[in-house]
Amino acid sequence: MPIQREYGKEHPYWPLGPFKVRLPFIHYRWEFPEMIQALLMFVVSLGMIPLLQQYLGLPYEAALAGVVICGIGFMLPALLGVPLVPGWITPAIPVVLLYLQNFQPGPEAVKAMVALQIEVFLIFLILGITGLGNKLVTLIPNSLKCGIIIGAGIAAMMGELKAGGRVSNAPVSILIGAMIAAYILFSLSFKSVVLRNRLAKIISNFGMVPGIVIAMLIGWAIKEFPLPNIEWGITKPNFGLLFDHLAFNIGWPTWDMFLLAAPTAVIAYVIAFGDILVGFTLVKRADHQRPDEVIETNVTRVHLVTAIRNGMHAIFAPWPGLAGPLWTPIQATTAERYALGRKAMDSIYSGQGTFWISGFLALFVLPLVTMFKPVLPLALSLTLILTAYICIMVGMEELKDSAERGVAGIVAVTLAMPDPKATIYAIAVGLVLYFLIERQNAAERQRDDLSIITDDTAAIEAGSERGKANPDAAPR
């Protein structure tokens, strides 16, 4: 029987420095809906295997071992007191792949990935300890931030649609799966159906799963993907083979690699910080409907846990997806079920903890892994297409005026260029255009605002004088 939480209090934990340790069955109960969802959604984490093979040159068995290490990292936030369902820094994947194109798949690409991951680790660690994360993101012009997010979305979509890409190899199953997933996740008409129909509400709780399942069935039916050769037993990730491809054996990155990785690391952090804000917003929205539990949203702890995860990857499993603070669709569905009350979900930590523990255990279920193996490109493609939609939508929403939209558009197009140095060019172009165009507009807006305030003040004073001269005319 888990330790019971007092009404209106924070969920029980064991203190450990800056962390708050919570364990299943000791501090929280097992949530079966999240377990079922994880047994299907873990296939998305397997979707990184094709990228590990293509860009880092890892064999399948070594890449699977890397997925297991990633799964350990996924369990850390719930364990250490972060109320967010973790994932990759998914919008940054196209930018990371552009960076990796500078290097030959194999030892050189692995070293380059290690350099990038070390820098991401250091950024999260330093900004988390010092609390400077907010200030750094504030200093970056809004047009540059939004342009990066939109450009990442465009690059993700172009990567899927290009000749020889995943969509061209399996257009029917991927596009139908993407449309179904987008309809369930984003459609206003489906949300209205959810309010009236119990089955639709159940489907909505599974996020991307229905789209992936239907796309898999279509892909197998029309032979866009080979039928799986299902094997029974327990998977055997080859950690020894993975170790042969790590920096311990192939050597550590050069200083040139660290310099080339720096712009990509900064972009990844900016995107990840946005994910933190989105995650906390989802948590607070659900928290208002659950007075029985107080949820602590600690920015420093999120930074530290994310730093630990990126440090793990840099040493033991270089990861093109990077370690991000949030998997938005799963956080949204978890928060939605949490908001239904304590009977539906005991604690926010029980939901997210159960999800990734179940996802980690699923990695060792050989029938599941072998069933999904032929459709791993499908899972990755759907993830990137939906990420592209979210990036473009969010980036466009945050732009305030025509000057910002123009600068952001140029940054986005530059970033999406099929050039390994596109990241550096995009940042440079964005900063130059900001100082040439937006700074002047900002000064004009400031003068206009000051003029309006001055005019309003004069009008108020004039009205006041008229009121003194003629009391009957004064406003009542």
Side-chain angles (χ1 to χ4, degrees), residues 94-96 98-99 140-155 260 262-264 266-268 270-271 404 406-435 438:
V95 183
V96 174
L98 283 173
Y99 161 71
I140 299 173
N142 187 57
S143 56
L144 181 55
K145 284 186 289 187
C146 293
I148 287 169
I149 293 172
I150 295 169
I154 294 173
L260 190 60
T264 304
V266 172
I267 286 177
V270 171
I271 294 171
E404 284 194 354
V407 174
I410 298 298
V411 171
V413 172
T414 306
L415 186 68
M417 290 191 310
D419 188 310
K421 293 184 174 61
T423 303
I424 299 172
Y425 300 151
I427 293 177
V429 167
L431 290 174
V432 169
L433 290 178
Y434 170 74
F435 284 105
E438 287 192 71

Side-chain angles (χ1 to χ4, degrees), residues 49 52-53 57-64 241 245:
I49 291 177
L52 293 170
Q53 293 175 298
L58 299 185
Y60 174 83
E61 294 77 10
L64 181 59
L241 186 58
H245 291 80

Side-chain angles (χ1 to χ4, degrees), residues 8 34-35 59 76 136 147 200 262 278 280 284 312 322 328 363 372 395 410 422:
E34 275 63 43
M35 180 187 76
L76 290 181
L136 174 64
V278 170
F280 280 177
K284 289 174 181 176
M312 283 175 51
L322 302 173
T328 306
L363 294 174
F372 289 126
I410 298 298

Side-chain angles (χ1 to χ4, degrees), residues 149-207:
I149 293 172
I150 295 169
I154 294 173
M157 200 67 194
M158 289 173 62
E160 296 309 297
L161 296 176
K162 69 181 180 182
R166 281 173 282 269
V167 171
S168 65
N169 292 329
V172 178
S173 53
I174 290 178
L175 293 179
I176 290 177
M179 286 188 288
I180 292 171
Y183 178 72
I184 292 171
L185 289 171
F186 308 119
S187 170
L188 296 177
S189 64
F190 183 73
K191 288 178 181 177
S192 66
V193 174
V194 168
L195 296 175
R196 304 189 305 268
N197 188 290
R198 180 174 173 79
L199 177 60
K201 185 171 183 62
I202 294 172
I203 292 173
S204 70
N205 286 336
F206 288 98

